[in-house]
Amino acid sequence: MEDTHHFQLGGFRCLAVNDGGLSGRASALFTNAPEDALQAALMRHELTADALPSPWTCLLMDTGSQRVLIDTGENNAGNLGGGRLVPRLRAAGISPESVDVVFLTHGHGDHIGGNVDAQGRATFPNARYVMGRTEWEYWTAEANLATMSTWAARLVRRCLLPLAGRVTLVEPGSEIAPGIRAVDAPGHTVGHLAVEIVSGSERLLHVADAFLHPIHLEHPDWMAAYDADAAQTVETRRALCRRAVASDALVLAFHFDPFPGLGRIVADGAAWRWVPLP
């Protein structure tokens, strides 16, 4: 499997980086799917129910004036086998010190684990960290931390709370950098954000974790155990699909296999389907 993938979006030079990944289970990714329909979908995609590949794809964009990173991977903060982002950026000639903006789509460990190093210092020391206000306030509230698993709360305290005082909080629709804008996409988490990137006549929609598998395009109402609000997730998925089709946007999905999770969403009857780039 590729470690990195270079591509051009208008005038932006882009680099998708594989930070690692896990194998998911169909029972967790499609909790409410009818068994016969699920088995048919798995067969159609030539998948095994207990071994659905799920990479963690971070995106670095060089706009010509700024380097913008979307999500920081897992960095083995949860002992799940991440930690490849920084070495692979360095191998591509990009130092952590040269990153200007780090945008965090939401507070799950495979998206914030690379925020800080083992000493709790910002991995990207010169960057402006950016996160949605609703998402930040949820994950940093002591009342919410008290209800999380010990593992999740410890990870948030280690990887997110140290950014207090240096993180910029934004609302949906806010400009993260010229040509890069936050898109409202709640449901997976309370303040989950997607990202729209426009350069020249070209457009990319980074859907983050609104979809965890291409089958979610075909069945947007099949929920994952990791989604906080099922009804909101379905609404968000449908809105993002319509947006991607209407704008003919290139799409990046953080967890879509094979890496780099780049492709197009196309209408297919009452639902959609995924067409990965060659």
Side-chain angles (χ1 to χ4, degrees):
M1 179 183 290
E2 286 182 283
D3 295 337
T4 56
H5 177 78
H6 294 264
F7 65 101
Q8 194 80 16
L9 187 81
F12 292 179
R13 290 178 294 159
C14 303
L15 177 67
V17 182
N18 184 355
D19 182 65
L22 291 173
S23 287
R25 293 175 176 266
S27 58
L29 287 172
F30 315 110
T31 59
N32 62 333
E35 184 61 27
D36 57 345
L38 176 57
Q39 291 306 317
L42 293 174
M43 185 176 298
R44 187 167 61 253
H45 287 270
E46 300 181 343
L47 295 170
T48 301
D50 291 336
L52 278 64
S54 180
W56 302 325
T57 302
C58 303
L59 178 63
L60 189 285
M61 293 164 291
D62 189 331
T63 70
S65 59
Q66 295 185 74
R67 282 178 168 167
V68 181
L69 176 66
I70 300 178
D71 290 331
T72 63
E74 196 264 345
N75 194 33
N76 213 22
N79 298 314
L80 299 177
R84 296 169 174 84
L85 173 62
V86 170
R88 288 174 176 173
L89 285 175
R90 289 190 184 279
I94 299 168
S95 70
E97 293 78 12
S98 71
V99 174
D100 300 291
V101 180
V102 175
F103 179 72
L104 305 171
T105 61
H106 63 293
H108 284 167
D110 50 345
H111 296 257
I112 65 168
N115 286 350
V116 298
D117 62 19
Q119 288 72 45
R121 300 171 300 199
T123 303
F124 304 93
N126 299 319
R128 175 172 60 95
Y129 282 75
V130 181
M131 194 174 197
R133 183 178 303 277
T134 298
E135 190 74 358
W136 172 269
E137 290 177 350
Y138 173 83
W139 289 100
T140 58
E142 285 298 329
N144 292 331
L145 287 170
T147 67
M148 296 177 196
S149 67
T150 301
W151 176 87
R154 183 184 300 122
L155 194 147
V156 170
R157 293 185 188 281
R158 174 182 169 186
C159 299
L160 198 57
L161 295 189
L163 300 182
R166 69 177 296 160
V167 64
T168 299
L169 303 181
V170 298
E171 306 295 339
S174 296
E175 187 179 73
I176 301 163
I180 304 172
R181 190 171 299 276
V183 174
D184 198 22
H188 181 65
T189 58
V190 295
H192 181 270
L193 292 173
V195 187
E196 187 172 59
I197 302 125
V198 180
S199 179
S201 62
E202 297 188 41
R203 185 180 305 262
L204 183 147
L205 183 62
H206 185 314
V207 298
D209 280 12
F211 309 89
L212 299 179
H213 194 276
I215 289 175
H216 285 137
L217 293 166
E218 303 164 17
H219 300 278
D221 56 342
W222 286 6
M223 305 316 304
Y226 319 106
D227 295 326
D229 185 327
Q232 183 65 69
T233 298
V234 172
E235 185 178 329
T236 287
R237 287 175 179 170
R238 294 185 181 279
L240 290 176
C241 284
R242 288 191 292 266
R243 185 177 189 135
V245 171
S247 62
D248 190 31
L250 181 64
V251 175
L252 187 147
F254 186 86
H255 288 290
F256 279 17
D257 180 70
F259 172 86
L262 284 167
R264 304 274 178 182
I265 294 173
V266 298
D268 188 8
W272 297 268
R273 60 184 171 86
W274 179 245
V275 181
L277 289 190

